[in-house]
Amino acid sequence: MSNHLTIVLSDLPAPAHWGKSAISFADETATIHLADAADRGQAVQAAARKLTSQGLRDVALVGEGWSPALQWRFACGFGEAMEPGTIQWASDGETLDAQRDAALWLKSLTHASPEALSPEVLADEVAERLSGLAPEHITTRQIVGDALLTAGWVGIHGVGRGSDRPPVLLELDYNPTGDHDAPVSVALVGKGITFDSGGYSLKPSAGMVTMKCDMGGAATVAAALKLAIRQGLSKRVKLYLCCAENLVSGHAYKLGDILHYKNGTSVEIVNTDAEGRLVLADGLIAANEAGAERIIDAATLTGAAMVAVGSDYNALFCADDLVASEALAAANAVGEGLWRLPLAPFHADKCPSAFADTANSAPVKGGGHGGASNAAGFLSRFAGTPPKGWIHLDLAGSYVAGNGLNGEGATALGLLTVTKLLLDA
């Protein structure tokens, strides 16, 4: 006898004795009632949270009405960080199993304690897990510690040098074509700050407690590549993870320091808590050196993006309207929230410096007004002009305190969008 509670959908309202509840129970079955649902996906996800709060951990989705999209929305709301539970699908089990496997890996990386997940451990875990999927098609290289400085990756080295555990640039090359000279269809760049204290621009305790999640961009692009490979990705993709701990010590980078990047740009440090853009700059330069036709970066970059779009969306920045429309269409196709925010050429000059080409932020709390656009403008100095465009994702919705739709922790929002963009490249 199965231990899984059966979950069915109904377009009828719940019987009156259940009050305003959208869920009713009978025997070993729970029914989600969608009669009054303005958004069926949101209603199903909210119901999954309610069922989780009642202690349910093993369910079977049964009957008509369970489209793949609705099943996925249920999965997004179901389970807790330490108890994800199990789901038996109504249909499309192979596809949904692959999606959930990728999402749970993303979440496990993001939820790992910062002591357990050092920059090297993050790079090793991603390299090992992805190489295991297609060992004949994947090569990896890691540049660690002071070797970064020798190689010219001053952003990752500068941010990570304050920690006893060295920073790392992971380059992973997935090439299923059999042609060593095949073009790089897409380069993925992920922010992998495994813990962010803010450095000398120290965060308050309340703002630091969740900063193990600051490698969410790296986890998102790595999990998306994993899922795309499982779904038959046939083009060459390079993955760059920019991994570091942003800590305070006698070796840490300081306000007033100037970093000289490989592309000739000099950057004055006016806020050590604006570190994500510094490591991403190296990854963007590397992606351009690889000749990538399209570059996608993902990062838990700014609080300003969270203020702008909340936790229901990620923020999109793109200099090309056509490329932006492709990203928005990809998100819409997979049912993920993505909202475009402004990025104009003048945003590159919003962080002026008297001592360098640019500062890494405006020297005010939160980077000042328009902080998310200003951060994207900073990155535009390093993004180059790949022929199929540059897409910057500020992952505002990728980690939440817990609400009526998501449990506390990583949401995996953005995973399916990046996967779709890879498969459509």
Side-chain angles (χ1 to χ4, degrees):
M1 183 175 180
S2 174
N3 292 323
H4 289 68
L5 180 73
T6 297
I7 312 293
V8 299
L9 300 179
S10 172
D11 287 325
L12 299 174
H17 61 271
W18 290 100
K20 295 183 179 180
S21 174
I23 306 174
S24 65
F25 295 86
D27 298 325
E28 297 179 358
T29 299
T31 301
I32 301 173
H33 297 272
L34 301 177
D36 299 321
D39 183 322
R40 292 170 68 87
Q42 188 177 76
V44 165
Q45 188 170 341
R49 285 308 306 150
K50 291 178 181 177
L51 292 169
T52 298
S53 71
Q54 294 175 9
L56 297 175
R57 295 295 181 269
D58 303 291
V59 298
L61 310 183
V62 175
E64 299 179 355
W66 282 114
S67 67
L70 284 182
Q71 291 181 81
W72 183 246
R73 287 299 295 267
F74 184 93
C76 289
F78 186 67
E80 302 287 11
M82 295 182 66
E83 293 184 289
T86 62
I87 303 173
Q88 293 181 0
W89 310 106
S91 64
D92 300 275
E94 185 176 350
T95 297
L96 291 165
D97 275 340
Q99 289 180 189
R100 194 160 196 247
D101 175 68
L104 291 179
W105 181 49
L106 185 164
K107 292 180 180 184
S108 71
L109 287 172
T110 307
H111 296 160
S113 76
E115 181 61 24
L117 196 76
S118 69
E120 284 186 288
V121 170
L122 174 58
D124 288 344
E125 163 73 8
V126 170
E128 180 179 347
R129 186 68 66 96
L130 292 180
S131 294
L133 283 178
E136 70 280 15
H137 298 318
I138 289 179
T139 58
T140 65
R141 180 171 70 122
Q142 295 185 33
I143 305 175
V144 183
D146 288 342
L148 288 161
L149 197 58
T150 303
W153 304 121
V154 297
I156 301 171
H157 180 271
V159 170
R161 75 188 195 206
S163 172
D164 290 337
R165 303 195 291 184
V168 184
L169 173 62
L170 169 65
E171 177 186 338
L172 185 147
D173 186 355
Y174 170 71
N175 186 3
T177 68
D179 178 5
H180 178 74
D181 297 319
V184 177
S185 178
V186 180
L188 299 172
V189 180
K191 175 186 171 184
I193 302 298
T194 56
F195 186 72
D196 181 19
S197 72
Y200 278 107
S201 304
L202 195 68
K203 294 178 181 289
S205 180
M208 201 189 301
V209 69
T210 61
M211 281 299 103
K212 64 184 180 182
C213 82
D214 216 16
M215 38 60 65
T220 298
V221 292
L225 180 54
K226 180 179 189 288
L227 180 55
I229 292 171
R230 288 191 64 177
Q231 294 183 344
L233 178 65
S234 60
K235 300 211 176 156
R236 188 178 187 182
V237 173
K238 283 198 171 186
L239 172 72
Y240 298 92
L241 299 190
C242 310
C243 308
E245 288 181 317
N246 186 22
L247 301 181
V248 178
S249 75
H251 302 291
Y253 79 130
K254 301 171 289 295
L255 285 78
D257 284 350
I258 295 178
L259 302 180
H260 296 272
Y261 281 86
K262 289 180 73 173
N263 72 342
T265 302
S266 59
V267 178
E268 182 190 6
I269 306 304
V270 301
N271 184 349
T272 60
D273 197 23
E275 85 297 330
R277 64 199 72 182
L278 297 174
V279 302
L280 286 176
D282 280 338
L284 292 171
I285 293 171
N288 277 285
E289 288 183 351
E293 295 175 344
R294 168 168 288 175
I295 299 174
I296 303 171
D297 79 71
T300 50
L301 201 64
T302 67
M306 297 171 66
V307 171
V309 300
S311 61
D312 299 306
Y313 294 84
N314 288 326
L316 166 69
F317 296 88
C318 198
D320 184 291
D321 291 343
L322 178 60
V323 175
S325 68
E326 292 176 8
L328 292 168
N332 183 64
V334 298
E336 290 189 331
L338 184 65
W339 197 265
R340 189 182 185 188
L341 293 181
L343 175 60
F346 65 76
H347 282 114
D349 300 316
K350 283 290 188 175
C351 302
S353 168
F355 305 102
D357 296 325
T358 183
N360 72 320
S361 179
V364 295
K365 182 177 175 59
H369 298 303
S373 292
N374 297 343
F378 175 91
L379 292 176
S380 71
R381 292 174 173 267
F382 306 91
T385 55
K388 294 185 179 179
W390 163 55
I391 295 169
H392 166 50
L393 301 175
D394 197 331
L395 301 179
S398 68
Y399 196 95
V400 298
N403 54 39
L405 294 176
N406 299 283
E408 182 170 356
T411 66
L413 185 66
L415 166 65
L416 299 188
T417 299
V418 178
T419 302
K420 175 74 171 166
L421 288 167
L422 288 174
L423 294 172
D424 289 348

